[in-house]
């Protein structure tokens, strides 16, 4: 519930400061959270569910950013980069490469993985541990590197 309260405070502050971009992003995130809440049928999202919504919003924008860069749409690239920065400010601190590598190695040992066939087992065990703290693609590359 703390994230929703923070979003509400930041939304009011953005209105006072006339920060249109920030206000629009906060409203989109709040709407996504409200939609998720309705979909799940409960009034308050857990911290984990809030993080899932934020991660989904961030991933959508990063995917769009790549497409806009390839299409040469610099106007939209700038707008999306601003939105990504705003959403990232609500995400937990991201793990460094060294920290992530340690988690990957520990998880591989934990599930006794030895080959690429164990990839699914490793990924399903590691993802809840690092939810919101690392990008799935980064994790996937590291797991593949250590299982090869």
């Amino acid at each position: 519930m703390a994230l929703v309260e923070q979003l509400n405070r930041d939304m009011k502050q953005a209105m006072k400061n006339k920060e249109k971009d920030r206000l629009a992003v906060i409203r989109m995130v709040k709407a996504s959270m409200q939609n998720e809440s309705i979909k799940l049928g409960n009034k308050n999202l857990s911290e984990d569910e809030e993080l899932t919504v934020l991660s989904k919003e961030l991933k959508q924008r990063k995917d769009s950013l790549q497409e806009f860069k390839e299409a040469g749409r610099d106007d939209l690239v700038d707008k999306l980069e601003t939105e990504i920065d705003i959403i990232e400010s609500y995400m937990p601190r991201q793990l460094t490469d060294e920290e992530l590598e340690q988690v990957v190695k520990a998880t591989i040992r934990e599930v006794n993985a030895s080959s690429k066939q164990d990839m699914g087992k490793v990924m399903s065990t590691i993802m809840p541990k690092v939810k919101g703290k690392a990008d799935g693609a980064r994790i996937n590359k590291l797991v593949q590197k250590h299982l090869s």
Side-chain angles (χ1 to χ4, degrees):
M1 191 61 185
L3 181 60
V4 173
E5 291 169 4
Q6 183 181 357
L7 286 169
N8 285 332
R9 281 194 307 270
D10 291 350
M11 189 168 76
K12 289 175 187 173
Q13 194 61 44
M15 283 184 213
K16 288 178 185 175
N17 296 342
K18 296 183 177 22
E19 298 171 297
K20 291 179 183 177
D21 293 338
R22 185 170 190 80
L23 182 60
V25 172
I26 292 171
R27 283 181 172 156
M28 280 189 274
V29 170
K30 281 189 63 176
S32 293
M33 290 186 152
Q34 199 166 19
N35 289 339
E36 186 71 13
S37 177
I38 291 167
K39 185 175 117 185
L40 295 174
N42 58 357
K43 290 185 180 179
N44 299 323
L45 295 176
S46 69
E47 192 174 316
D48 198 38
E49 291 165 338
E50 290 175 342
L51 198 54
T52 301
V53 172
L54 275 178
S55 297
K56 193 182 333 176
E57 289 292 316
L58 192 59
K59 184 175 180 349
Q60 285 175 352
R61 283 168 178 76
K62 285 184 176 181
D63 291 345
S64 297
L65 181 68
Q66 191 60 39
E67 291 175 22
F68 290 147
K69 280 182 178 178
E70 290 170 7
R73 295 292 310 268
D74 294 334
D75 55 329
L76 295 174
V77 167
D78 293 340
K79 182 178 184 283
L80 273 179
E81 284 174 342
T82 302
E83 289 181 11
I84 288 169
D85 289 342
I86 293 168
I87 294 172
E88 283 179 340
S89 71
Y90 295 102
M91 296 288 288
R93 182 187 70 80
Q94 297 294 295
L95 294 174
T96 64
D97 289 337
E98 294 80 28
E99 292 170 327
L100 189 55
E101 189 140 359
Q102 288 174 350
V103 173
V104 167
K105 286 178 182 177
T107 305
I108 288 173
R109 282 192 303 273
E110 179 185 324
V111 298
N112 296 321
S114 57
S115 68
K116 288 203 184 224
Q117 285 142 342
D118 298 322
M119 182 90 175
K121 192 168 29 171
V122 174
M123 289 300 289
S124 63
T125 305
I126 202 170
M127 289 310 286
K129 294 179 184 178
V130 297
K131 187 172 193 109
K133 297 178 185 174
D135 181 51
R138 268 178 67 203
I139 297 166
N140 193 317
K141 286 178 187 173
L142 275 174
V143 171
Q144 283 183 4
K145 177 180 136 188
H146 287 287
L147 288 179
S148 59

